[in-house]
Every structure is written in C-alpha cells, then in structure tokens.
Amino acid sequence: MAQRAAITGWGAYVPARVLTNADLERMVETSDEWIVTRTGIRERRIAGPDETTVRMATEAAQRALATATLEPDALDLVIVATTTPDYLMPATASLLQAALGATRAGAFDLVAACSGFVYALSVGAQFIMAGTARAVLVVGVDALTRWLDFTDRSTCVLFGDGAGAVVLEASDADEGVLSTVHGSDGSGAMHLYLEGFPELLMSNGALPPKRPFMRMDGREVFRFSVRIIGEATLEAVQRAGLTLDEIDLLIPHQANLRIIDAAVKRLGLPWEKVWVNLDRYGNTSAASIPLGIAEAAERGVLQPGMNVVLVAFGAGLAWAASVVRWGATGVRRGG
Ligand code: COA
C-alpha cells in the first residue's frame, strides 16, 4: 500500500484572558441571551500583547511534538495556516521553525482563512504520500480579535483567538488522511473581508483614513456555510470510499452552533457524532479544527480506527474537508 499520512501528535493553546458575553454586554449593545441563541457562543479567549501568533503556534506545536514523541529536528516541513500573522514578512512558519529548533525543516505559511488548517493538512499529507517528507508539522493559528471592530456588534461577538497543531508522519498502516476536498467561490469574497487594508497599503506611509477591520455579511456567510458543510462532507466521505454511516466523528469549523446544527440535520448525522466547543472559544478561524482534534484526543473520544471528518469554511469564500482515520499512536515507531 502507498505511504499514508497519519496524525501522530496533537496540541492546542488558547490565551489566558476570557471575554464572556457579560463582558461584551458592557462594550456594545448586545445581550448574553442574543449571543447564545443566535450563535451558541458563551465566551472566547483574547490574545494578550505577549500572546503573539508565533507564541501561540509555538505552544501548540510543542505540545503536538510531545504527544508524537518526536524531536523537532525530525520534522521535514512546518506549515502554518494563518490569516493573522505577526508579520507579513517573514512567514510565521519560519519564526516557528526557529522557536522549535526544527533545524532540518522547510517552512511556509498558507492563507485560506478559516479553512486554512484543513488546506494545510491536505498539503502536508500530499508531501508525505508523495514520499517527499516523512514528518510534517501542521499548525492552525489565528488572532482575529486584533482585527475586530469592538464597536461592531455583528462581528465582535463571534471570534476568539487560539492555536492548534498536529504532527503528520508517514505510515504503512491503513490510517491517516484518506481523502481531501477543496473549493473556493471568490465571487463571494467581499462577504467576509478586511475593510481598509488596500487603503493602508496604498497610503504610502501617510496615515490611512481609518484602521482596517473585519467586515461581514452574516446572512450570506451563514447560507453558504450550511450548504458547504453538507456538500464538502459528502464529497470527502465518498472520495474516502466510505458511507456517512461509517463516520464516527465530525469536527466542523466552529463558527456558529446554528450553522452546525442545520448542516448536521441535513446530513442526518446523530448529534453525538459532532464535536462542538465554540461555546468556550467562539470562532478561532484556522485554529478551530485542530483545537477540536486536540480536545477530542485528550478526552479519549478519538479511538484507533475511527473515521473522522474535518470540514472547514470561511473567507474566500473557501472550503475544505478531509476524512482522517485515527491511528494507534506510538505503534509505528515501535513506541
Ligand atoms: N447583539 C444583538 N443584536 C445583534 C447583534 C448582537 N451581537 N448582532 C446583530 N444584531 C441585530 C442586527 O442588528 C439585527 O437587528 P435589526 O433587525 O434591528 O436590523 C438583528 O440582530 C438580526 O440580525 P441578523 O443579521 O438577521 O441576525 P442573524 O440571525 O442572521 O445572526 C449572525 C447574525 C452574524 C450571528 C449570523 O448571520 C451568522 O452567524 N452568520 C455567519 C457568520 C460567521 O459565522 N462567519 C464566519 C464564518 S467562518
């Protein structure tokens, strides 16, 4: 059998500071009741000044390497999915590679907004399946709250910060990434974007009219998200040669409980098979799925042989899905 890319390590990091719905009630005209019934979110984490994108990525990555019992210099490649790097140049992945001491690894960033982690997982898996790499670190990290307008109640209640990471390793066993699906509809790009960023770039050093902030047409994004979770999930399951009945866990991007609920009902999946943690973290963009993986693994929900669907969607508008068969970590390297 061709070489598979198995998830052998996982880790997550969320900032210490918690922002509750009650806190937001004091900042904008909103209520805990509105936020919970419309989104399912109760609290989110906000990165402090020292919790940079690189720092959060490093914490999550170190935990992932520890669970994989892999030394940093065994990594061939570091891929970081982020839309909120500390610098546009250099890549976050290079800073992370140095922080980890992953001396042999190549490093690059990948931008696909909330879908970034699943895209990056797929890219990392292709490197392994092609035989070009044996160990790849894949990180999803975002600090979207730095780009939020905390006077805009339609966006500021939705997002939080965090990081998640997995280690992918070559495996001869029937496990790991079984299928991947990617898509994009750029005609909807302006439904979710950073308003004012081009003006900042074009201002040539002069102060731009105002600071860039995230803007969103929530209803359009909602409709798109419900449709795409179902479509991308079914395609990924089919490409893996499985049926929906054979799926043990769905870890969807954590944007809104109503989006997940509507999509899961359309799919006809039992709710017990769906991982939800957005009540505690809100939408952490590229971090949401690896955060879910790390939590589900740590709580023993993920068991060897389980088929797991990862499905993400967001700005672009872009989406990605993957079916992963959870493996028996430690067995491959004789641990
Ligand atoms: N608190 C109180 N009221 C709010 C509010 C808030 N935080 N945000 C919006 N409202 C108001 C609106 O102003 C509107 O008032 P109006 O009727 O007087 O104009 C009312 O609530 C209804 O707004 P609407 O946009 O229809 O609400 P909704 O049910 O569609 O929920 C979202 C809004 C943003 C929660 C929902 O559209 C959504 O989740 N969309 C997807 C967003 C997303 O997940 N994006 C990221 C994808 S990766």
Side-chain angles (χ1 to χ4, degrees), residues 8 77 89 93 111 116 165 196 212 216 236 279 284 331 334:
T8 59
L77 196 59
M89 180 178 70
V111 182
M216 182 178 67
D279 50 323
T284 55
V331 172

Side-chain angles (χ1 to χ4, degrees), residues 200-267:
L200 173 69
L201 295 179
M202 303 309 164
S203 65
N204 246 348
L207 278 182
K210 61 180 177 151
R211 188 191 185 289
F213 283 123
M214 187 201 296
R215 299 290 176 217
M216 182 178 67
D217 181 337
R219 285 182 202 183
E220 286 291 343
V221 177
F222 194 102
R223 267 196 290 273
F224 152 76
S225 306
V226 172
R227 177 173 59 80
I228 220 65
I229 290 178
E231 289 179 9
T233 296
L234 289 176
E235 199 179 335
V237 170
Q238 192 186 23
R239 283 193 194 185
L242 299 172
T243 64
L244 209 50
D245 289 343
E246 293 172 283
I247 297 304
D248 302 294
L249 190 67
L250 176 81
I251 305 183
H253 171 52
Q254 308 282 309
N256 182 318
L257 191 60
R258 281 160 58 221
I259 291 176
I260 297 174
D261 186 51
V264 163
K265 279 192 179 123
R266 280 192 192 185
L267 282 168

